């Protein structure tokens, strides 16, 4: 039986991991297959500091869905002819801009 994530008997159970964007569910090989990229491409994103995958007990890289979306964006830019270091910088700046826009659109607290 698959546990129900709303079941109070399973607080924080494994069913919550299915909805967690940051849960490191994908191995390097699977992530590379999903992106249509090489494992070296993923390693280069790690080396650039753009994506820092978690490590399994055996030391293997594990990627989350959020990290795969970032990698896919970099891959898109690289496929368009952008150098990988420039693509990583562009994605990093896009992320910073998105955060700033979210902060500016949220209601301001009165001091």
């Amino acid at each position: 039986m698959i546990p129900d994530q709303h079941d109070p008997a399973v607080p924080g159970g494994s069913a919550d991991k299915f909805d967690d964007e940051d849960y490191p569910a994908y191995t390097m090989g699977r992530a590379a297959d999903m992106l249509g990229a090489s494992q070296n491409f993923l390693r280069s994103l790690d080396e650039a500091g753009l994506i820092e995958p978690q490590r399994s007990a055996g030391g293997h890289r594990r990627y989350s869905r959020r990290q795969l979306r970032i990698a896919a964006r970099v891959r898109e830019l690289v496929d368009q002819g952008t150098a990988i270091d420039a693509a990583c910088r562009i994605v990093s700046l896009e992320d910073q801009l998105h955060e700033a826009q979210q902060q500016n659109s949220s209601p301001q607290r009165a001091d």
Side-chain angles (χ1 to χ4, degrees):
M1 181 173 147
I2 298 173
D4 182 7
Q5 73 184 47
H6 301 295
D7 184 352
V10 187
S14 62
D16 292 338
K17 295 174 186 174
F18 292 119
D19 295 327
D20 186 354
E21 291 285 309
D22 295 310
Y23 182 73
Y26 302 98
T27 63
M28 177 179 274
R30 180 67 178 131
D33 286 344
M34 291 171 69
L35 294 169
S38 69
Q39 292 183 13
N40 283 337
F41 174 77
L42 289 170
R43 283 187 199 99
S44 68
L45 299 182
D46 188 7
E47 290 169 11
L50 183 66
I51 294 176
E52 295 181 33
Q54 291 188 20
R55 299 285 181 145
S56 68
H60 300 282
R61 290 174 173 93
R62 305 284 293 190
Y63 296 89
S64 69
R65 289 188 306 209
R66 184 181 318 275
Q67 290 170 325
L68 293 183
R69 275 197 296 280
I70 292 168
R73 176 67 178 130
V74 172
R75 173 75 197 272
E76 179 183 317
L77 291 168
V78 168
D79 288 348
Q80 293 173 0
T82 306
I84 194 161
D85 57 334
C88 288
R89 184 68 178 143
I90 289 168
V91 170
S92 177
L93 290 170
E94 286 175 344
D95 187 47
Q96 289 175 17
L97 176 61
H98 180 70
E99 273 186 38
Q101 288 172 330
Q102 281 186 321
Q103 287 176 355
N104 285 338
S105 66
S106 66
Q108 300 294 324
R109 293 186 307 177
D111 290 332

